[in-house]
């Protein structure tokens, strides 16, 4: 199995294959590099995590870590820090043992590949030069033979003519001999060059090319072996740290097993034990006789003064009746008014009127998509149209490449009729040309729509300023006017940007109004339909060319204008389909 004998005529394919092999090796280097970056990032995050939960020095938190469970947690954090160090070791070993070595090897491989294919091209150029010399000598031999034949025919004609002088006949004979000698010389030269070319061709196909391709094969096999060794090293780097990682995990298990719940319970007793004895029994108080109590030495003492009982705890706890009873010294909290509760509910309540726009946007999305994507907002429509134009251009380029290939094939058939009939390709060529023309017409149509959208699309700074101005000018006292809080498009993709400060100004008296029907918005101008628009999706309205309607909400930059025909019919239409004339007073207000 040798590339020199099996693939003697696949020079270009071998060149592509070896380049692909180098690309695969570089891709593997990139993969290992990204793995090392992940390991470093993971180790860094583990160290930060361990540091974050370490107890702070000279703080109350450090005192709490005297319990065995907390000490085990500290050991867990320390082992996790060592665990992170092993991932750093993985990253360093992969970088030094794989990435650096493979990067150097790739450079050597590229240089060797370049040298081998340079020798191959040099051999190709030499054999092509020999072929050109052979063709030149062949044409010269053919030309001299024809000239010798014509000279011989001319001599025979002169010799047969009795009116021609002897000198002229002798001159024609000499000329024929000269031509004949030139033909013999050309024949000898052609024979010599032919033998030389056959020898060079034999050497090229049986010696030079096999040797060069054998070197290329060995180079490719070394690359494959080197890549396999790198993969083994990749696994060994991980395997080397497994014992240490196992020790870290064993340390965590050992720390967990060192937890002593009884010891922790004893520490709690030592920390919070008061040392007092429980109070004794209280005897029955007989109001017909002086009251007697059983008093313990270091428990509740019964001291009376001026006939009023005054219980003391341990002689020092004045005012405490029982160890577990606490006085509530905080003043009685005043109940909030109901209106405040209403205001909190109003500010946290969703704006119900905006569900209509959500429903309208959903219906637009579920509807059939027009060819010009007019149902989308301008920016989304522009992206879709640009994507369509790019796809059409790729198809046009593909068809043009096919046309060029058919044209070249037709030229080959014209030069070599035995290979095929050139007329058989005319139908295919015409079909491809027709497809190109159709695609160009389609592209022009979408480019026109794209130019229209880009012409109507406002600048981003101007749009941002416009939205900011609208927001500043609209400071509603209630949350009823959802249309003013909406930065929307008819597909429902809007955001609510009501500030907390404005929401806190909502009056409690508007609570019931939120559930009433939405009042119709006032008209802010009129518009005239420039084209007929079929509003098939919910939230839109159909208009007829030349129809005059009322504008109740102008375009917010999304390409849609809200209009009304009468009290019951209103909806959105594309802004480009109508000519809007806003009322100056309504716009200023």
């Amino acid at each position: 199995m040798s590339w020199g004998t099996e693939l003697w005529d696949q020079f270009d394919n071998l060149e592509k294959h070896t380049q692909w092999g180098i690309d695969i090796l570089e891709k593997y280097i990139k993969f290992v590099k990204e793995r090392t970056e992940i390991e470093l990032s993971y180790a860094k995050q583990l160290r930060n995590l361990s540091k974050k939960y370490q107890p702070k020095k000279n703080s109350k938190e450090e005192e709490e870590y005297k319990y065995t469970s907390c000490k085990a947690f500290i050991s867990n954090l320390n082992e996790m820090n060592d665990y992170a160090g092993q991932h750093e070791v993985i990253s360093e070993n992969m970088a030094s043992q794989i990435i650096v070595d493979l990067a150097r090897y790739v450079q050597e491989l590229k240089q060797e590949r370049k040298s081998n294919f340079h020798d191959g091209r040099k051999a190709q150029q030499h054999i092509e030069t020999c072929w050109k010399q052979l063709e030149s000598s062949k044409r010269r031999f053919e030309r001299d033979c024809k000239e010798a034949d014509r000279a011989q025919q001319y001599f025979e004609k002169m010799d047969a003519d009795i009116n021609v002088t002897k000198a002229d006949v002798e001159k024609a004979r000499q000329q024929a001999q000269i031509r004949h000698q030139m033909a013999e010389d050309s024949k000898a030269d052609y024979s010599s060059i032919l033998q030389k070319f056959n020898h060079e061709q034999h050497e090229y196909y049986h010696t030079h090319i096999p040797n060069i391709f054998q070197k290329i094969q060995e180079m490719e096999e070394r690359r494959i072996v080197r890549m396999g060794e790198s993969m083994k090293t990749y696994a060994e780097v991980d395997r080397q740290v497994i014992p240490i990682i196992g020790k870290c995990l064993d340390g965590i298990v050992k720390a967990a097993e060192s937890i002593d719940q009884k010891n922790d319970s004893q520490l709690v007793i030592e920390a919070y034990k008061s040392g007092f004895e429980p109070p004794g029994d209280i005897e029955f108080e007989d109001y017909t006789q002086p009251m007697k109590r059983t008093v313990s030495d270091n428990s509740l003492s019964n001291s009376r003064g001026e006939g009023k009982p005054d219980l003391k705890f341990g002689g020092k706890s004045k005012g405490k009746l029982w160890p577990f009873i606490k006085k509530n010294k905080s003043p009685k909290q005043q109940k909030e008014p109901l209106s405040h509760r209403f205001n909190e509910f109003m500010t946290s309540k969703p704006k119900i009127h905006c569900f209509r726009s959500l429903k309208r946007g959903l219906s637009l999305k579920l509807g059939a998509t027009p060819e010009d994507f007019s149902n989308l907002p301008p920016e989304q429509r522009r992206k879709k149209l640009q994507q369509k134009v790019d796809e059409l251009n790729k198809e046009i380029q593909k068809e043009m490449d096919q046309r060029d290939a058919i044209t070249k094939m037709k030229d080959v058939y014209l030069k070599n009729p035995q290979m095929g009939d050139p007329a058989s390709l005319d139908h295919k060529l015409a079909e491809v040309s027709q497809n190109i023309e159709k695609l160009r017409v389609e592209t022009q149509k979408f480019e026109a729509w794209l130019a229209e959208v880009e012409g109507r699309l406002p600048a981003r700074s101007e749009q941002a300023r416009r939205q900011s101005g609208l927001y500043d000018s609209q400071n509603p006292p209630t949350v009823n006017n959802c249309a003013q809080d909406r930065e929307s498009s008819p597909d429902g993709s809007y955001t609510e940007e009501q500030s907390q400060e404005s929401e806190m100004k909502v009056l409690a008296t508007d609570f019931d109004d939120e559930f009433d029907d939405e009042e119709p918005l006032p008209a802010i101008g009129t518009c005239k339909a420039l084209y007929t628009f079929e509003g098939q999706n919910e939230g839109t309205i159909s208009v007829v060319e030349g129809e005059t309607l009322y504008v109740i909400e102008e375009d917010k930059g999304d390409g849609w204008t809200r209009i009304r025909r009468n009290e019951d019919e209103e909806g959105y239409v594309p802004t480009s389909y109508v000519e809007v004339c806003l009322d100056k007073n309504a716009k200023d207000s």
Side-chain angles (χ1 to χ4, degrees):
M1 183 185 64
S2 174
W3 288 6
T5 56
E6 302 292 337
L7 304 175
W8 60 270
D9 57 343
Q10 299 297 321
F11 185 89
D12 295 336
N13 289 330
L14 288 180
E15 187 175 11
K16 293 178 182 178
H17 178 76
T18 52
Q19 180 61 44
W20 170 83
I22 294 176
D23 294 340
I24 288 294
L25 195 57
E26 290 178 341
K27 185 182 293 185
Y28 181 73
I29 294 174
K30 186 178 179 182
F31 159 76
V32 178
K33 185 176 181 181
E34 291 182 2
R35 165 73 190 277
T36 59
E37 293 173 355
I38 291 173
E39 293 291 342
L40 283 178
S41 177
Y42 181 53
K44 182 179 179 181
Q45 292 178 8
L46 287 179
R47 290 189 183 277
N48 291 337
L49 182 65
S50 177
K51 183 179 179 181
K52 178 180 178 181
Y53 287 94
Q54 289 285 352
K56 298 179 181 178
K57 294 182 179 180
N58 302 326
S59 64
K60 184 179 179 181
E61 184 180 1
E62 189 176 10
E63 298 176 0
E64 296 174 355
Y65 279 83
K66 61 186 177 181
Y67 302 100
T68 57
S69 59
C70 294
K71 290 180 180 179
F73 180 55
I74 293 297
S75 300
N76 193 339
L77 294 177
N78 294 333
E79 295 294 342
M80 189 60 61
N81 200 36
D82 296 338
Y83 184 86
Q86 296 309 307
H87 285 278
E88 291 177 347
V89 171
I90 292 175
S91 176
E92 293 173 359
N93 291 340
M94 285 187 176
S96 60
Q97 299 178 21
I98 298 178
I99 297 177
V100 176
D101 291 342
L102 283 185
R104 182 169 56 250
Y105 177 73
V106 165
Q107 296 300 325
E108 297 173 358
L109 194 65
K110 288 182 178 179
Q111 190 66 29
E112 183 179 0
R113 175 181 175 275
K114 181 179 179 181
S115 176
N116 290 332
F117 282 100
H118 176 73
D119 294 340
R121 290 192 185 91
K122 188 175 180 181
Q124 280 185 342
Q125 292 175 359
H126 178 70
I127 197 68
E128 288 175 1
T129 302
C130 293
W131 170 257
K132 291 179 181 179
Q133 291 178 357
L134 178 63
E135 287 292 317
S136 177
S137 63
K138 180 180 178 182
R139 288 193 297 268
R140 183 168 62 251
F141 172 60
E142 181 181 4
R143 183 180 64 251
D144 291 342
C145 287
K146 290 180 180 180
E147 292 291 337
D149 289 341
R150 285 196 295 268
Q152 183 65 29
Q153 292 176 3
Y154 180 74
F155 164 70
E156 291 175 356
K157 181 180 178 181
M158 294 291 290
D159 187 43
D161 192 356
I162 59 176
N163 296 324
V164 179
T165 60
K166 187 177 180 180
D168 291 337
V169 174
E170 184 66 19
K171 184 178 179 180
R173 186 181 63 79
Q174 293 178 359
Q175 188 68 23
Q177 290 179 353
I178 293 173
R179 292 295 181 183
H180 183 72
Q181 185 63 36
M182 290 177 63
E184 291 294 327
D185 294 340
S186 298
K187 180 180 179 181
D189 186 41
Y190 170 68
S191 177
S192 175
I193 293 176
L194 179 62
Q195 292 178 0
K196 181 181 178 181
F197 173 78
N198 289 333
H199 176 72
E200 292 292 341
Q201 182 175 252
H202 184 272
E203 290 292 321
Y204 174 78
Y205 287 113
H206 295 84
T207 303
H208 298 313
I209 287 298
N211 292 337
I212 294 173
F213 282 9
Q214 185 64 30
K215 292 180 181 179
I216 295 174
Q217 181 180 357
E218 294 173 357
M219 176 193 72
E220 183 67 8
E221 290 175 354
R222 287 198 307 272
R223 177 196 66 81
I224 296 172
V225 172
R226 190 63 174 269
M227 191 169 180
E229 293 174 352
S230 300
M231 291 181 180
K232 291 181 181 179
T233 305
Y234 179 87
E236 288 297 328
V237 168
D238 266 348
R239 186 177 284 114
Q240 289 173 0
V241 301
I242 288 178
I244 304 177
I245 291 177
K247 291 181 179 180
C248 294
L249 299 177
D250 292 340
I252 295 175
V253 173
K254 185 177 180 180
E257 293 174 350
S258 67
I259 296 176
D260 187 357
Q261 66 274 16
K262 298 296 183 181
N263 185 43
D264 286 356
S265 299
Q266 184 62 33
L267 291 176
V268 173
I269 293 174
E270 293 175 0
Y272 300 109
K273 182 179 179 181
S274 65
F276 297 126
E277 293 182 1
D281 295 334
I282 300 175
E283 294 182 351
F284 176 77
E285 296 184 10
D286 190 357
Y287 290 98
T288 60
Q289 296 179 2
M291 185 176 65
K292 297 180 180 180
R293 289 181 179 272
T294 301
V295 182
S296 62
D297 295 336
N298 58 352
S299 180
L300 293 173
S301 62
N302 185 13
S303 61
R304 301 175 182 270
E306 298 180 358
K308 295 182 179 180
D310 186 11
L311 296 178
K312 292 188 179 180
F313 184 72
K316 295 182 181 180
S317 303
K318 183 178 180 181
K320 282 189 178 180
L321 298 179
W322 300 100
F324 303 107
I325 298 178
K326 294 184 179 180
K327 272 189 176 182
N328 188 5
K329 296 182 180 181
S330 60
K332 187 177 182 180
Q333 296 181 355
Q334 186 177 0
K335 297 180 69 175
E336 294 182 1
L338 184 59
S339 61
H340 292 182
R341 299 285 182 173
F342 281 160
N343 283 336
E344 291 181 5
F345 181 76
M346 291 288 289
T347 54
S348 63
K349 179 177 66 65
K351 299 176 176 60
I352 297 175
H353 294 157
C354 293
F355 291 141
R356 178 177 302 175
S357 299
L358 282 172
K359 187 177 180 182
R360 173 178 53 80
L362 181 62
S363 64
L364 279 173
K365 288 182 179 179
L366 294 176
T369 304
E371 185 183 11
D372 59 349
F373 306 105
S374 59
N375 61 319
L376 298 178
E379 184 63 23
Q380 299 296 328
R381 184 186 180 195
R382 184 188 66 79
K383 292 180 180 179
K384 286 287 186 180
L385 290 173
Q386 185 65 52
Q387 181 180 0
K388 188 68 176 178
V389 170
D390 295 340
E391 292 176 357
L392 289 173
N393 287 330
K394 289 181 180 179
E395 293 181 6
I396 290 175
Q397 185 62 38
K398 183 178 179 181
E399 293 292 335
M400 291 177 67
D401 294 340
Q402 186 178 359
R403 182 185 62 183
D404 295 341
I406 295 174
T407 304
K408 291 180 180 179
M409 186 180 296
K410 185 177 180 180
D411 293 339
V412 172
Y413 286 176
L414 289 173
K415 294 179 180 178
N416 302 297
Q418 66 274 11
M419 297 181 65
D421 184 12
S424 62
L425 299 176
D426 292 340
H427 177 70
K428 184 65 176 177
L429 193 61
E431 182 180 352
V432 172
S433 300
Q434 187 177 2
N435 292 339
I436 293 175
E437 188 63 28
K438 289 181 180 179
L439 290 173
R440 284 176 177 171
V441 172
E442 192 77 7
T443 304
Q444 291 175 1
K445 179 175 64 175
F446 279 95
E447 286 178 347
W449 285 334
L450 180 61
E452 178 187 356
V453 173
E454 290 178 345
R456 290 191 293 106
L457 198 62
R460 296 197 179 273
S461 60
E462 179 183 356
Q463 184 177 3
R465 178 178 55 80
R466 177 184 179 186
Q467 292 177 354
S468 176
L470 286 173
Y471 181 78
D472 295 339
S473 64
Q474 294 170 348
N475 187 16
T478 67
V479 294
N480 286 0
N481 192 0
C482 176
Q484 293 179 350
D485 294 335
R486 178 174 57 82
E487 289 182 1
S488 70
S489 64
D491 62 350
S493 57
Y494 57 84
T495 58
E496 300 290 342
E497 296 196 2
Q498 180 72 23
S499 64
Q500 284 186 342
E501 186 175 348
S502 63
E503 289 180 353
M504 293 301 293
K505 295 180 181 180
V506 178
L507 300 177
T509 56
D510 293 335
F511 180 77
D512 296 332
D513 295 338
E514 283 291 319
F515 300 93
D516 296 338
D517 292 336
E518 182 182 9
E519 296 181 1
L521 295 174
I524 60 173
T526 59
C527 67
K528 181 180 180 181
L530 301 177
Y531 313 101
T532 299
F533 175 72
E534 296 292 339
Q536 298 178 355
N537 297 320
E538 185 175 352
T540 61
I541 185 173
S542 301
V543 296
V544 182
E545 181 180 355
E547 186 179 3
T548 303
L549 306 101
Y550 294 101
V551 178
I552 59 176
E553 184 180 334
E554 60 178 324
D555 188 357
K556 294 292 196 308
D558 56 5
W560 294 84
T561 301
R562 190 175 178 181
I563 63 172
R564 178 189 298 142
R565 180 176 284 111
N566 49 47
E567 293 183 357
D568 297 331
E569 289 188 78
E570 65 178 47
Y572 287 85
V573 295
T575 306
S576 59
Y577 278 65
V578 294
E579 181 181 1
V580 180
C581 180
L582 297 179
D583 187 2
K584 184 177 181 182
N585 295 332
K587 188 176 182 181
D588 294 340
S589 63

